[in-house]
Amino acid sequence: FIDRHIEDILTYLQGAGSYRPGLGTPPAEIYARRLPLYRGCSSHVFALSRGDAQWELLSAEFARFLRYAEGVPNERELQLVPDTFLLSMDSSVAGELLQEPARLHTVIRGADALQLRVDVPLPEAARPDEERWLLGMLAAFRR
C-alpha cells in the first residue's frame, strides 16, 4: 500500500479547495481504524516522506517500486565492481540527517549502496513510532 503521512492526507481531504462530503467520523479516526487492515493485507509498502509533493518524481519511483514488487527486471542491472562504495549509517546518524534532507543528500551522494543500521537503537523520544520512523527513512533514502 502507499503509506502517506496522516497529516498530508488530512491536508488533502480537509484543506483549502477540498469539496469532500462529510463521512460522519473524522478522517483521522477512520485512518487509525483502517491502517491495521491496510498493513495486514499488504505485501509491500511504498512510503512517502511527510510533505513530499513531487508527483512526477514520485510517479517514476512508484513505477520502479511496482516493477520490483512484480518481479519485473529493472532496466539496469546492479553490478558490484571493485570501486563500489557502500555507506553504512547507524540509526542515530540517519535520524539526525533525516531532519536535514539537503544534508542527507550531500552525505549519500556518490554511494552505490546504503546500509541503515537499526541495530543501534535511538532513545525512545527520538522516534516515538518505530515503524513510521523506519518508513520515513526508507522514503528519504529512496531519493
Side-chain angles (χ1 to χ4, degrees):
F1 85 99
I2 298 175
D3 187 11
R4 190 173 185 198
H5 197 280
I6 184 61
E7 294 301 321
D8 292 338
I9 294 170
L10 294 177
T11 298
Y12 177 78
L13 293 177
Q14 301 172 326
S18 175
Y19 302 102
R20 302 190 62 88
L23 300 172
T25 304
E29 287 182 30
I30 294 171
Y31 179 81
R33 186 178 67 238
R34 292 180 179 174
L35 186 58
L37 300 173
Y38 299 150
R39 288 181 176 147
C41 69
S42 301
S43 62
H44 295 75
V45 178
F46 183 77
L48 277 66
S49 296
R50 184 175 182 177
D52 194 348
Q54 298 179 41
W55 300 114
E56 191 172 314
L57 184 56
L58 285 169
S59 293
E61 291 174 352
F62 187 63
R64 189 175 70 225
F65 171 80
L66 290 177
R67 284 192 301 272
Y68 169 80
E70 290 296 316
V72 176
N74 199 343
E75 61 274 2
R76 62 186 174 112
E77 298 255 342
L78 177 63
Q79 296 180 352
L80 298 178
V81 295
D83 65 346
T84 298
F85 179 67
L86 168 71
L87 177 61
S88 180
M89 282 188 270
D90 69 43
S91 56
S92 62
V93 171
E96 290 174 20
L97 291 173
L98 185 59
Q99 303 307 313
E100 301 177 58
R103 189 170 157 224
L104 171 66
H105 293 291
T106 298
V107 169
I108 65 175
R109 185 176 295 126
D112 296 302
L114 300 172
Q115 177 186 34
L116 178 60
R117 297 283 313 270
V118 295
D119 56 336
V120 181
L122 287 174
E124 193 62 34
R127 56 179 168 143
D129 179 347
E130 192 167 314
E131 182 177 359
R132 166 57 45 205
W133 178 88
L134 183 57
L135 289 172
M137 290 304 305
L138 294 174
F141 281 170
R142 189 177 61 238
R143 290 281 163 92

